[in-house]
Amino acid sequence: MEMVRFGVSMSPKLLERFDESIAKKGYANRSEAIRDLIRESLVEMEWETGDEEVVGTITIIYSHTTRELADKLTDFQHQAHQVIISTLHVHLDEHNCLEVMVVRGKSNLIREISERLISTKGVKHGKLTMTSVGDKLA
Ligand code: NI
């Protein structure tokens, strides 16, 4: 891949803090850290536009012993089958289940599905991770 070099000016104090933070995260050099920051910002923009196709994961924790909850969640996943493309289920202990759903589609719709799942009564915790199909990230 062709690479372009460019210069960045900033205060020594800010650069020092940046170097410290990327060293903690394990970056070998500033270039890779800056590329990742730019990608992160591009992914955020993809999600903001609403009608771009994006990818993400929705993680939920719930108790399968809560009355009718497991059935309700499964029904909803069937309704949303065009967006929820895969589901991983882990039985955490006697009562608790963890589910990770891989979602792909328009970001507005994914947000809506995620909010509906997480706000379902009996879901103890939930999180949407927003990422990208990757083709625009180089
Ligand atoms: Ni389970």
Side-chain angles (χ1 to χ4, degrees):
M1 196 197 306
E2 195 204 344
M3 291 289 196
V4 180
R5 292 179 66 89
F6 66 100
V8 178
S9 308
M10 68 176 80
S11 74
K13 190 81 197 158
L14 188 60
L15 186 60
E16 192 184 312
R17 291 195 64 190
F18 182 65
D19 285 343
E20 281 168 16
S21 77
I22 66 173
K24 270 188 200 159
K25 289 177 183 167
Y27 282 104
N29 59 61
R30 286 173 187 155
S31 291
E32 186 53 23
I34 290 168
R35 284 193 287 270
D36 274 359
L37 285 174
I38 292 171
R39 291 183 190 116
E40 183 64 32
S41 149
L42 292 173
V43 169
E44 265 176 41
M45 277 169 61
E46 281 182 30
W47 276 80
E48 275 167 23
T49 58
D51 57 358
E52 263 192 78
E53 191 187 58
V54 290
V55 172
T57 57
I58 303 168
T59 305
I60 54 169
I61 306 288
Y62 64 93
S63 167
H64 78 100
T65 47
T66 304
R67 219 171 149 257
E68 290 168 3
L69 178 59
D71 279 350
K72 204 171 161 185
L73 291 171
T74 306
D75 281 351
F76 183 65
Q77 289 183 35
H78 278 272
Q79 280 169 39
H81 70 275
Q82 278 168 325
V83 172
I84 302 175
I85 54 179
S86 181
T87 301
L88 166 79
H89 186 106
V90 179
H91 310 302
L92 291 173
D93 57 30
E94 269 180 55
H95 305 290
N96 291 295
C97 302
L98 173 146
E99 252 171 35
V100 182
M101 288 152 269
V102 178
V103 285
R104 181 176 193 159
K106 303 268 163 75
S107 60
N108 276 349
L109 186 57
I110 292 180
R111 262 187 229 276
E112 209 181 294
I113 288 169
S114 156
E115 280 161 12
R116 199 160 141 199
L117 282 163
I118 293 168
S119 65
T120 302
K121 193 173 174 241
V123 172
K124 295 177 179 180
H125 182 248
K127 197 100 187 159
L128 168 65
T129 303
M130 298 174 246
T131 183
S132 162
V133 292
D135 58 343
K136 295 190 200 98
L137 299 180

